[in-house]
Amino acid sequence: MLLPVNITLGVVLVVLLAAAAGVAAFATLGRSREIVVAGLRAAVQLAAVSSLIGWVVHALAPTFAFIALMFGVAVWTAGRRVTGNRTWWWVAVPIGVGVVPVVAALLLTGLVPVRGIALIPVTGILIGGALTATVQGGRRALDELATRYGEVEAAMALGFLDRDARLEIARPAASDALLPGLDQTRTVGLVTLPGAFVGMLLGGASPVQAGAVQLFVLVALLAVQAAAVAAVLELVARGRLHRAAAGASAGGR
């Protein structure tokens, strides 16, 4: 067992969480409370999932219900991170555009069996990747438009369509959302050994099998994240996803 589940583990987790919040407070990062809440939520949610997962994975109906729950939570989380107004629900599009085709392809080719024990973790990893890319791409795009809305208006004055003017400004910033995934893929095995690889080894798989699974996860994540960033950028450019702030012509109407 990699980590024994005992009092020592609990104490170490509390100390690490307190240290993270303390460093954030000392550096005045303004995220101390969020760190504590995130850690406590993770503990509660993982405890709940751990108690339910044994039942969920043995039947397709609860499996798909659990996946739908994961998707819904991802949309809510990403949407509220990107914007605080009623357009937040549009983030369901980039997350869905990224995840659904990849999962469908994996099921149709038989690479992932239609069983909860395989489908839930794979889909969860892909939804998580799409969530991260959507949040980073959407926030970067909207931040850039808010900062440089004068340039957007100037481009429209020169004859650019609203969408094209926003794309010219937001595209470089939104594309930066792909950098974490690219860096992780480039350095895999040299800097870190990601979770899928380690998990396979602990489960008794050979190093070759573990490497193949990890490569599959990384490449699938690249596909999901590229689609998510492209979709969220298009939504921002078309004004479907925006912020009610100064420079409304740049952020959408």
Side-chain angles (χ1 to χ4, degrees):
M1 183 180 294
L2 181 62
L3 288 174
V5 182
N6 54 27
I7 294 177
T8 302
L9 176 61
V11 172
V12 170
L13 288 174
V14 170
V15 171
L16 289 175
L17 186 60
V23 170
F26 179 77
T28 62
L29 301 179
R31 301 289 184 181
S32 300
R33 183 178 180 278
E34 291 184 49
I35 289 173
V36 173
V37 171
L40 294 176
R41 281 188 58 175
V44 172
Q45 289 163 192
L46 286 173
V49 169
S50 299
S51 64
L52 291 174
I53 200 72
W55 170 72
V56 168
V57 298
H58 293 301
L60 285 181
T63 291
F64 286 113
F66 192 79
I67 290 173
L69 175 63
M70 289 193 295
F71 181 83
V73 172
V75 170
W76 171 259
T77 302
R80 306 313 291 181
R81 283 292 186 190
V82 173
T83 181
N85 60 37
R86 65 179 183 277
T87 66
W88 66 267
W89 65 270
W90 277 102
V91 302
V93 175
I95 294 176
V97 164
V99 173
V100 172
V102 174
V103 173
L106 295 176
L107 292 176
L108 290 174
T109 57
L111 288 174
V112 174
V114 188
R115 291 188 293 126
I117 195 65
L119 192 56
I120 287 176
V122 170
T123 306
I125 290 172
L126 298 180
I127 291 175
L131 183 157
T132 301
T134 299
V135 169
Q136 293 184 346
R139 285 177 64 91
R140 289 173 185 269
L142 290 172
D143 288 346
E144 195 76 356
L145 290 178
T147 302
R148 302 171 58 188
Y149 68 89
E151 296 177 50
V152 177
E153 292 181 339
M156 289 190 289
L158 292 173
F160 280 74
L161 296 176
D162 290 11
R163 169 188 175 274
D164 296 336
R166 294 176 187 137
L167 275 178
E168 287 297 317
I169 300 301
R171 184 185 288 114
S175 68
D176 284 350
L178 298 175
L179 292 180
L182 289 171
D183 289 342
Q184 183 183 29
T185 304
R186 287 181 181 135
T187 61
V188 65
L190 299 176
V191 177
T192 61
L193 295 177
F197 183 87
V198 175
M200 290 289 292
L201 289 179
L202 293 175
S206 70
V208 172
Q209 289 175 316
V213 169
Q214 186 61 68
L215 179 62
F216 150 72
V217 169
L218 291 173
V219 173
L221 277 173
L222 287 179
V224 167
Q225 291 177 337
V229 171
V232 77
L233 176 61
E234 186 67 26
L235 289 172
V236 170
R238 292 179 179 272
R240 298 291 186 270
L241 189 62
H242 62 82
R243 293 173 183 158
S249 62
R253 295 179 176 84

